[in-house]
Amino acid sequence: MDVLVSIPFLIFLPMLASFLVMSPLFTNNEILIRRFTKSVCGFQLLYTIFLLAMFSPSNPFTDKISFWGTDWIQALGVQFVFKIDGVGMVLVLLTSFIFFIASIASKMNIRRNHKFYYSMLLLLMSAVYGIFTASDMFVFFMFWELELIPAYFLIGGDFSLEENTESKKSAVKFVLFTFLGSMILLLGILLLHYYNYATTQTFTALFDDILINGIPLSIKLLISICFLIGFGVKLPIIPLHTWLPDAHTNAPVPVSMILAGVMLKTGAYGILRFNYQIMQDVFQFIAPILAIFALINIIYTAFVAYSQTDIKRIVAYSSISNMGLILLGLCAYNKIGFNASVFHMFAHGLVTAGLFMICGIVYMRCKTRDINSLGGIAVKMPRLLGFATLIVLASVGIPAFAPFISEILTIISAMFSDLGIVLKIVSILSLPLLIISSCYMLKFLHKGFMGNEQEKFAKINDITVHEFVVLGSITAGLLIFGILPNVLIGIIG
Amino acid sequence: MGELISNNIYLILLLPLWIFLIIMLGRFVSVYVNKSVIWGLSLFSAMLGCIASLGLYKIFTPDMVFENTIPFIKINDFIINFGIHIDRLSLIFTSVLFIISFFVLLFSTTYMKNEKKQYRFYALINLFNFVTATFFFSPNLFQAYVCWELVGLVSYLLIGFEYSKSEKSLASKKVFIINRIGDTAFLAGIIMCSYLMYEYAPSKSLAGLELFDINTISTLVSVYSPHTLYLIICGLFIVAAMVKSAQFPFYSWLQDAMEAKLPVSALLHSSTLVALGVYLVIRIMPFLTLTPSILKFIAIIGVLTAFVCSLSASVQNHPKKALAYSTSAQFGLIFFALGILNIKVALILFVTHALIKSMLFLTLPDEKEKWNILKFILFAIGALSLAGLLFSGLCAKEILAFSLSLKGIFVLSALSFITSFYILRILIVIMKTNGIEKINSKKIETFSAFSLLFINILLYIYLRKTNSYHISIPYFSAILGMLFVLILNIRNWILKISCPLFYNGFYIDKFYMTIILWLYNKFAESLAKFDTKILGNYKPIIYVSKIGVNLIDFVETKIMNGVVSEITKSIKKLSEIDLKAQNGNIQRYNLYAFLIITIIITILSIAYLTIIINIKGVG
């Protein structure tokens, strides 16, 4: 059975499928392409569950691809190594699940250029798997850059029936911003690689083998800041977040689900690996300042979200707010915070995918995303209201759902942190999140759904089976991990 | 019998949750759940909970505790447990919960008969039973917090039951958000408290938040004497209790909660949900006894709420609103009793109030409905009881008066006067607005209200036997209040009494809706403008990058290309000169040839001569 566990298989199967779909030999029939993609994503999900069954936190999976007996770039010590440990397993599971759900949700939302869309989706899937499993800095960077191309096309492509120039602008903004960040990230990686050589006289780029003891403090600080800027564009750290509302609002719904559910977590994962695990002592030094940025993330975006009128924008800002919580969990620098942070990555991924799905369902039927003109649609769509209530309450932090546990643990970890008084103050100051998040989320729910019935929405249908499956599985996941959190904590280790 | 209950208490506790899941999920898998099955199951679970609580209450002695926990979250040595912790105090509260729940469910079988989607109502009532019982049986503060939030959630879902009417859904949203303020205070208190225990616990391990354990409290207190942080923690818990039990200044949410249906008001917002604050204060009493200032604070808030809400209730014309203010006022009295460390009296007040108030709610008529005469009689008896003139209301007031000093009795008498005034005034208001009919149509509704009255009388007999008190000044001031109302009724001035300050609840609600909401909106809008216009403003970047692009353009066109173009220009000039020279004039060609040959011969001869001279010179 151990022979079947192979990380490169996990990563490169979707890539192969993507090239297959894109090739001229593949059929142009929409239904066949969609079913092929869904089966590939479903197979990936099953394979991930199989990996989960074979997994134990003390025994991470490792895999190496060697090119005829030598490393990838032997002269620089760069090896094509992969590793899945606790954190990676949780995130790979999240990725598989979100992509599977997004491919089911793509049925209603994608109307043109199916071949292109599904091949880019599979390529993005492969790139994200690579990010979460890479164990070498340059392999990580390669996959980090690789995800830009499909993301650009997915956000800015012509996939809906209307003309959409806004999405092209948002896609360009996204790519340029992220590319700038990853250039600075590359600077950090190269500096680290060089200084590692300068102090230990061996070339290595593996996460496990990099030693930072001998590097002078100013250089370490510079490297850490380069990493933080590079990842801070992705996990949006205010003020580098301005690409996010436009990108999430103007992308098609499944792409928004993937962007907010998975790709923001790659930024957090990067900070976890590079800053938290490699540059440890500098991180302990910067953590209080980073915690203040996390607090600004949490509180500021919650206020901004309250005054938005576009329902997708509200959800986009709520994503930024929750990523602030994830960052706060990391800044606390203890075991509780680490677990809380990874738990919230998983929980928030599910919640945000659900919220975008709901926005998409509403938009498909009502043709508008303006919260002031929606309202009263719950009378026609009671099932959607049921799911929307559950997912909105999950996002607000009601017990019995997964985000509650991670929010509580994050705040507790910040309070119990050893890194000084700043974190304790941040922990107390982030408590109003409970109130203000419920303010904007309930405004979204009540103004958007409840209220008196309106004439123009007399003919809309309730949710279909596909949408039911998507929303139902998200809600079930949130409930399961909210009631039995030890399952996920056991995986993280 | 006791063994049977103790071993199966989990099943009894989980039964309402199971029924909730059956009702909710049964619809999704299209299993047709008959209405009478739902009614039967819900009534059965409430009855079972009732019997279990009362049976265990009889068995448990005052210091007996049953506790059992399992780890819920376990990260290395940080463990948070979930489980149950049963002792007499929790059994009192759960008995009240299940008794009232049973009769409210019985009431709603006929009251909600014409409602579509009844199943959701019964499911939510069952979920409420489960969550509240779990709250009363929680062994530590974390589980108490979880159940606290879930109770707020169930209340939100029940108030917004008819979500297609905007005022009801907006009311439920408002109630939920104000309850969240209390939740935040509660969580802040828990976190600071656990930090305190972490810092000063003997072994410095991150154990759970076991705050009801007397040993933990005594070790903590022996190490860390009362201090500002301690005061802050107790203050936070008190604020949480104040929000949940609708004390001053957080009592306005109870008015919005009256948008719910009648059974919901009877069960939640008169007896059980508002009791969570009282339970919390009683549980953390060992903490509070160490800071007398906090106890004084609780007592003052209690008396203040009682007066403010009683005065507000005395000019209301809508029965539910008056009863909501009355609930706040009576709970103010309970908090006062807690503040003077008289827990037994507080519990008696709570139990009697729960029974009376739920009965009052159940006997209210609908908006345009004529008042059934049996319900009128029951309401009148309940009103007299609430005023402190009959049955257990009388008992409770007098037991409280028995333990007070003279100043306290004076305050209590004033309060009794106002209480008696408003409750009898509202009786007469309803009589005038609805009118009384003699036809008896709804047997089950009157039966459930009557049973509550019956339990009230039983409680009165029990209290008379076990406590000593005597009728004193508050009783007479209540009679004075009744007489005052009758006089006003004779003069037909009842409906003419109005006072804007009292009517608007001392403008707390208006303050919240206008000033706080306006500030919040403005702040949110300004931040949003900041985000899009300033942070998202790419104009500076575009401007800077345009300068850079222009610079590079300049270098490229003018300098690099410029050098090349200069060279080409000079070559062109040379070729023009050359072209001019090719004019076909042979004499010119001869002249050029002659000139050039002369120059060449001159240069060669000079060179030859210099070389000859050099060789000669050397040689």
Side-chain angles (χ1 to χ4, degrees):
Chain A
M1 276 301 227
D2 282 335
V3 146
L4 291 173
V5 171
S6 157
I7 305 176
F9 178 66
L10 182 77
I11 300 175
F12 292 113
L13 178 68
M15 201 184 274
L16 189 65
S18 158
F19 294 146
L20 205 64
V21 170
M22 210 161 24
S23 74
L25 301 172
F26 205 80
T27 165
N28 220 345
N29 184 351
E30 174 206 338
I31 300 180
L32 283 178
I33 299 177
R34 195 169 61 224
R35 287 192 182 164
F36 176 72
T37 314
K38 270 197 265 195
S39 39
V40 168
C41 293
F43 175 74
Q44 288 285 104
L45 183 60
L46 287 172
Y47 189 67
T48 312
I49 296 178
F50 165 69
L51 284 180
L52 188 63
M54 309 283 298
F55 179 76
S56 80
S58 49
N59 201 7
F61 301 137
T62 50
D63 246 313
K64 178 172 163 175
I65 300 180
S66 54
F67 297 83
W68 295 283
T70 62
D71 303 331
W72 193 25
I73 308 175
Q74 196 157 26
L76 290 175
V78 174
Q79 306 178 20
F80 221 107
V81 194
F82 300 104
K83 183 167 93 157
I84 299 185
D85 59 352
V87 181
M89 192 73 236
V90 168
L91 289 170
V92 165
L93 181 64
L94 175 72
T95 314
S96 313
F97 187 66
I98 298 283
F99 270 91
F100 181 56
I101 284 186
S103 60
I104 297 179
S106 307
K107 177 179 177 182
M108 309 292 293
N109 290 294
I110 308 297
R111 300 300 181 131
R112 291 195 287 174
N113 296 333
H114 298 99
K115 205 164 178 188
F116 188 48
Y117 171 82
Y118 286 105
S119 66
M120 286 294 122
L121 193 78
L122 289 168
L123 190 60
L124 184 61
M125 189 177 190
S126 164
V128 172
Y129 277 136
I131 294 178
F132 286 142
T133 55
S135 184
D136 177 291
M137 286 199 298
F138 288 95
V139 174
F140 181 91
F141 189 72
M142 178 183 94
F143 283 110
W144 181 267
E145 290 288 290
L146 183 62
E147 74 169 356
L148 282 183
I149 306 171
Y152 170 71
F153 287 118
L154 284 173
I155 298 175
D158 295 313
F159 298 124
S160 60
L161 292 171
E162 303 95 35
E163 273 299 314
N164 203 352
T165 49
E166 281 298 317
S167 62
K168 294 202 189 350
K169 278 196 243 173
S170 324
V172 168
K173 213 191 276 191
F174 162 74
V175 164
L176 287 181
F177 228 115
T178 317
F179 200 65
L180 186 69
S182 54
M183 284 299 105
I184 300 181
L185 174 65
L186 182 61
L187 174 67
I189 291 181
L190 291 175
L191 277 174
L192 184 59
H193 189 230
Y194 169 70
Y195 273 96
N196 186 40
Y197 169 68
T199 52
T200 59
Q201 300 306 317
T202 51
F203 276 115
T204 174
L206 299 177
F207 285 164
D208 301 325
D209 292 345
I210 295 179
L211 297 168
I212 60 165
N213 293 329
I215 309 178
L217 184 63
S218 53
I219 300 292
K220 273 198 278 198
L221 207 58
L222 178 66
I223 296 176
S224 285
I225 292 178
C226 287
F227 285 153
L228 274 178
I229 296 180
F231 294 121
V233 174
K234 251 311 168 41
L235 171 157
I237 300 182
I238 309 251
L240 303 167
H241 71 289
T242 48
W243 60 271
L244 194 143
D246 292 321
H248 281 152
T249 321
N250 297 319
V253 164
V255 176
S256 294
M257 286 165 70
I258 295 170
L259 261 183
V262 172
M263 283 180 47
L264 297 187
K265 317 295 182 281
T266 60
Y269 178 79
I271 292 190
L272 198 152
R273 284 281 184 230
F274 282 81
N275 275 310
Y276 187 96
Q277 288 185 345
I278 298 182
M279 317 287 304
Q280 288 169 5
D281 40 0
V282 185
F283 187 71
Q284 291 183 47
F285 178 67
I286 311 179
I289 306 173
L290 207 55
I292 296 181
F293 275 102
L295 178 69
I296 296 176
N297 252 15
I298 296 173
I299 304 284
Y300 168 79
T301 47
F303 277 110
V304 175
Y306 182 76
S307 59
Q308 301 300 321
T309 52
D310 186 343
I311 46 177
K312 264 179 128 180
R313 253 185 125 85
I314 296 180
V315 180
Y317 277 109
S318 88
S319 295
I320 309 181
S321 191
N322 282 300
M323 295 308 287
L325 266 173
I326 295 179
L327 188 59
L328 183 60
L330 284 178
C331 289
Y333 205 74
N334 52 17
K335 204 81 177 82
I336 309 177
F338 184 78
N339 277 326
S341 182
V342 179
F343 199 105
H344 201 60
M345 286 188 208
F346 188 82
H348 171 65
L350 290 180
V351 164
T352 232
L355 284 171
F356 274 115
M357 185 71 199
I358 291 170
C359 291
I361 294 175
V362 168
Y363 182 58
M364 297 274 4
R365 283 156 176 73
C366 305
K367 304 287 180 247
T368 172
R369 286 204 307 253
D370 184 14
I371 209 173
N372 294 318
S373 56
L374 289 173
I377 56 184
V379 184
K380 288 287 173 189
M381 300 197 282
R383 284 191 175 183
L384 179 65
L385 178 68
F387 279 123
T389 314
L390 286 172
I391 296 181
V392 160
L393 292 170
S395 144
V396 162
I398 293 289
F401 291 104
F404 162 73
I405 301 200
S406 42
E407 278 177 24
I408 300 290
L409 284 179
T410 309
I411 298 180
I412 290 180
S413 73
M415 196 67 179
F416 282 8
S417 156
D418 294 323
L419 291 180
I421 190 101
V422 177
L423 273 157
K424 302 198 198 320
I425 296 177
V426 167
S427 157
I428 296 293
L429 284 180
S430 62
L431 278 173
L433 171 70
L434 290 175
I435 307 175
I436 50 186
S437 71
S438 63
C439 279
Y440 71 80
M441 267 295 157
L442 286 184
K443 179 184 172 185
F444 163 73
L445 187 65
H446 282 256
K447 250 191 163 169
F449 288 84
M450 303 192 192
N452 301 316
E453 211 175 326
Q454 293 191 48
E455 277 290 315
K456 50 188 173 174
F457 297 138
K459 295 229 178 89
I460 54 183
N461 301 319
D462 207 349
I463 53 179
T464 62
V465 177
H466 278 86
E467 294 154 350
F468 183 87
V469 164
V470 170
L471 290 173
S473 45
I474 291 177
T475 317
L478 286 170
L479 276 171
I480 291 173
F481 290 112
I483 297 179
L484 302 168
N486 277 326
V487 173
L488 208 56
I489 295 178
I491 302 175
I492 300 172
Chain B
M1 170 76 161
E3 288 286 311
L4 190 70
I5 295 180
S6 306
N7 290 337
N8 295 327
I9 192 68
Y10 302 106
L11 293 177
I12 297 175
L13 202 57
L14 285 174
L15 185 62
L17 180 68
W18 187 55
I19 299 175
F20 164 74
L21 289 173
I22 292 177
I23 300 176
M24 291 309 286
L25 297 178
R27 311 290 296 193
F28 272 123
V29 296
S30 301
V31 167
Y32 179 68
V33 184
N34 199 353
K35 263 183 255 179
S36 34
V37 170
I38 299 180
W39 297 342
L41 279 176
S42 318
L43 288 168
F44 174 67
S45 79
M47 174 61 81
L48 201 59
C50 196
I51 296 175
S53 313
L54 288 172
L56 280 177
Y57 183 77
K58 263 203 154 358
I59 296 168
F60 270 55
T61 55
D63 47 346
M64 194 161 132
V65 167
F66 172 79
E67 186 157 331
N68 199 356
T69 56
I70 53 169
F72 177 62
I73 295 178
K74 188 173 184 318
I75 304 174
N76 284 0
D77 51 352
F78 177 78
I79 306 177
I80 296 181
N81 292 320
F82 260 32
I84 57 173
H85 163 106
I86 307 180
D87 65 352
R88 264 200 153 191
L89 177 69
S90 42
L91 287 171
I92 295 176
F93 280 87
T94 44
S95 326
V96 169
L97 164 72
F98 280 118
I99 290 176
I100 297 183
S101 173
F102 179 78
F103 288 114
V104 166
L105 279 169
L106 195 59
F107 176 86
S108 43
T109 52
T110 46
Y111 185 80
M112 304 279 290
K113 226 186 173 72
N114 301 323
E115 187 71 32
K116 299 177 237 163
K117 318 257 178 166
Q118 275 182 54
Y119 67 91
R120 208 169 81 230
F121 179 80
Y122 289 103
L124 286 171
I125 297 280
N126 277 309
L127 184 64
F128 174 77
N129 280 347
F130 168 68
V131 173
T132 318
T134 316
F135 174 80
F136 290 137
F137 286 149
S138 45
N140 54 23
L141 279 181
F142 187 78
Q143 182 173 339
Y145 176 70
V146 166
C147 297
W148 185 278
E149 275 212 58
L150 282 175
V151 165
L153 167 73
V154 176
S155 155
Y156 161 76
L157 290 174
L158 277 171
I159 297 174
F161 184 69
E162 302 159 296
Y163 48 77
S164 50
K165 302 191 183 142
S166 349
E167 64 271 359
K168 297 208 194 279
S169 78
L170 285 175
S172 64
K173 177 172 80 155
K174 195 167 142 197
V175 166
F176 186 74
I177 293 180
I178 297 186
N179 269 329
R180 282 293 250 188
I181 301 178
D183 294 349
T184 313
F186 197 159
L187 188 60
I190 290 181
I191 290 177
M192 288 214 218
C193 203
S194 60
Y195 168 69
L196 212 61
M197 290 208 294
Y198 169 60
E199 281 286 311
Y200 293 96
S203 59
K204 227 191 190 216
S205 75
L206 296 172
L209 306 168
E210 318 291 311
L211 253 196
F212 302 142
D213 187 35
I214 298 295
N215 297 328
T216 326
I217 294 177
S218 49
T219 44
L220 177 66
V221 168
S222 63
V223 170
Y224 191 65
S225 54
H227 194 262
T228 340
L229 193 59
Y230 213 65
L231 213 67
I232 294 177
I233 294 176
C234 291
L236 284 167
F237 283 132
I238 299 300
V239 167
M242 274 160 57
V243 172
K244 203 61 157 196
S245 296
Q247 301 300 294
F248 183 90
F250 303 111
Y251 55 80
S252 55
W253 68 266
L254 210 50
Q255 300 302 307
D256 291 291
M258 291 297 132
E259 296 278 350
K261 291 204 159 303
L262 206 56
V264 173
S265 302
L267 178 58
L268 264 72
H269 302 120
S270 62
S271 351
T272 29
L273 190 143
V274 286
L276 298 195
V278 176
Y279 183 82
L280 181 68
V281 172
I282 298 180
R283 275 297 185 206
I284 60 174
M285 203 50 102
F287 258 155
L288 299 176
T289 43
L290 298 162
T291 41
S293 46
I294 286 278
L295 287 172
K296 235 189 275 181
F297 178 67
I298 299 177
I300 292 175
I301 287 283
V303 171
L304 184 62
T305 313
F307 271 108
V308 163
C309 292
S310 306
L311 289 171
S312 304
S314 45
V315 291
Q316 299 296 324
N317 290 324
H318 194 249
K320 279 182 110 177
K321 289 207 189 301
L323 288 180
Y325 277 121
S326 160
T327 307
S328 296
Q330 298 296 315
F331 270 86
L333 210 55
I334 298 177
F335 269 74
F336 171 66
L338 286 175
I340 54 176
L341 278 182
N342 219 332
I343 299 185
K344 186 172 170 199
V345 172
L347 286 175
I348 293 174
L349 275 171
F350 160 67
V351 176
T352 53
H353 170 259
L355 290 169
I356 298 170
K357 198 42 84 58
S358 46
M359 184 181 85
L360 285 178
F361 267 110
L362 291 184
T363 49
L364 278 181
D366 276 337
E367 286 287 315
K368 310 281 188 210
E369 200 192 3
K370 276 202 175 285
W371 212 359
N372 190 5
I373 192 160
L374 276 177
K375 284 194 184 176
F376 165 69
I377 296 175
L378 286 169
F379 188 92
I381 300 178
L384 288 174
S385 192
L386 186 67
L389 296 167
L390 269 190
F391 302 140
S392 50
L394 160 68
C395 236
K397 281 263 166 60
E398 295 309 330
I399 294 175
L400 174 62
F402 194 63
S403 59
L404 289 178
S405 63
L406 195 61
K407 200 164 65 165
I409 291 185
F410 179 66
V411 165
L412 187 61
S413 317
L415 215 53
S416 303
F417 179 78
I418 307 178
T419 308
S420 158
F421 175 74
Y422 70 67
I423 198 70
L424 290 167
R425 176 181 176 270
I426 206 68
L427 172 75
I428 296 180
V429 165
I430 306 176
M431 256 169 62
K432 290 207 155 107
T433 49
N434 285 46
I436 302 184
E437 62 167 1
K438 299 215 171 152
I439 310 167
N440 183 5
S441 50
K442 305 214 170 120
K443 296 205 179 80
I444 295 189
E445 294 179 8
T446 21
F447 171 71
S448 36
F450 180 73
S451 334
L452 282 172
L453 178 64
F454 184 65
I455 297 178
N456 196 353
I457 299 177
L458 285 179
L459 187 64
Y460 169 62
I461 298 174
Y462 172 72
L463 284 175
R464 270 196 79 161
K465 267 200 234 158
T466 52
N467 291 300
S468 64
Y469 63 94
H470 53 271
I471 296 194
S472 66
I473 307 179
Y475 186 77
F476 297 116
S477 63
I479 293 189
L480 266 176
M482 185 168 79
L483 290 173
F484 189 51
V485 170
L486 288 173
I487 294 172
L488 286 179
N489 186 25
I490 292 172
R491 291 234 181 180
N492 266 331
W493 278 355
I494 286 280
L495 285 171
K496 290 197 198 135
I497 299 178
S498 77
C499 171
L501 181 66
F502 295 163
Y503 188 73
N504 288 314
F506 286 68
Y507 293 117
I508 294 234
D509 189 47
K510 280 219 159 45
F511 173 72
Y512 172 75
M513 287 303 276
T514 49
I515 296 184
I516 295 188
L517 264 186
W518 180 83
L519 275 174
Y520 194 90
N521 269 320
K522 278 284 173 244
F523 187 56
E525 273 169 23
S526 56
L527 278 186
K529 267 207 202 109
F530 173 73
D531 195 62
T532 42
K533 296 269 160 55
I534 299 180
L535 285 186
N537 196 3
Y538 292 104
K539 287 210 180 81
I541 303 177
I542 295 176
Y543 183 69
V544 167
S545 52
K546 268 209 178 124
I547 291 179
V549 166
N550 284 337
L551 190 66
I552 295 178
D553 190 47
F554 173 76
V555 167
E556 181 75 6
T557 50
K558 295 282 171 9
I559 299 181
M560 292 191 195
N561 283 351
V563 168
V564 172
S565 60
E566 286 302 311
I567 294 178
T568 44
K569 270 194 218 146
S570 47
I571 292 180
K572 228 184 182 176
K573 274 220 183 83
L574 279 175
S575 69
E576 271 168 25
I577 297 174
D578 196 30
L579 200 60
K580 277 206 197 113
Q582 314 270 347
N583 54 4
N585 199 340
I586 298 184
Q587 287 154 328
R588 272 289 167 92
Y589 289 171
N590 276 336
L591 178 62
Y592 292 152
F594 174 72
L595 278 173
I596 289 174
I597 290 174
T598 320
I599 291 171
I600 291 176
I601 290 176
T602 324
I603 292 174
L604 280 177
S605 43
I606 294 173
Y608 178 67
L609 282 170
T610 40
I611 292 173
I612 297 288
I613 292 171
N614 276 336
I615 292 177
K616 277 279 164 70
V618 171

